[in-house]
Amino acid sequence: MGFLSVILSIILVIDCLFLILLVLVQLPKKEAGAGMAFGGGTADALFGAGSGTALTKLTKYAAGVFFLGAFFLSIVNSHARKQSDLEFRKQVEKAGASAPAAVPATAPTVSSNAPIPLTITSNSVSTTPVAPKVGSNAPAK
C-alpha cells in the first residue's frame, strides 16, 4: 500500500504543478472583472455549449484528474491505516498473552501525620521547610 500511496502522491504533485501552469498561461476574458466574479454571467462562461479553448478544456480534465487522484489517495491511506491498526492490535494481544502478570505498585505511605510546610515563590511551589526568622510572629514548635 505504501508504494501505491507514493505513486498517487507523485501524480498529484505533478498534476498540481500542471494545473498551476495552465491557469497562469490562460489569458483573462475581457468581461471577467470583479462584478462578474459574483455571479454576473459566470454560469454562462463555465457551462456554455462547448465554448472554450483547448487550454480551458485541458484545465478541466487536469482538475478532474486531481480530484479523482485525491479521492483514491484518501481511500488507499484509509485502507492502509486500518491494516496497520489491526496488525498493532494483534501484536499487543500476542505480547499481552506471553507477558507475566504485572504486580501492582503500592502507593508510598506517609510515616507521620505532620503537615508538610510549603514555601510559595514567584514561579514555583517548594516543599522545603523554612526556619522561622528570629523575632517574627511565627509560632514556636
Side-chain angles (χ1 to χ4, degrees), residues 36-122:
M36 299 299 285
F38 297 107
T42 55
D44 294 337
L46 288 176
F47 305 114
S51 64
T53 63
L55 286 177
T56 57
K57 290 181 182 179
L58 197 58
T59 304
K60 291 176 190 177
Y61 293 132
V65 167
F66 182 80
F67 287 126
L68 286 174
F71 179 71
F72 286 126
L73 183 63
S74 68
I75 290 173
V76 167
N77 285 338
S78 174
H79 183 68
R81 171 88 177 183
K82 287 178 185 176
Q83 289 295 331
S84 66
D85 187 38
L86 288 174
E87 290 175 10
F88 177 74
R89 287 183 185 198
K90 287 179 184 177
Q91 289 177 357
V92 168
E93 289 173 0
K94 187 189 313 179
S98 64
V103 177
T106 58
T109 58
V110 178
S111 61
S112 68
N113 291 333
I116 300 173
L118 296 176
T119 304
I120 300 175
T121 60
S122 61

Side-chain angles (χ1 to χ4, degrees), residues 15-59:
D15 190 41
C16 183
L17 293 174
F18 185 63
L19 271 170
I20 291 170
L21 178 70
L22 283 175
V23 169
L24 290 177
V25 167
Q26 293 180 21
L27 295 174
K29 296 186 180 191
K30 293 180 183 176
E31 64 269 357
M36 299 299 285
F38 297 107
T42 55
D44 294 337
L46 288 176
F47 305 114
S51 64
T53 63
L55 286 177
T56 57
K57 290 181 182 179
L58 197 58
T59 304

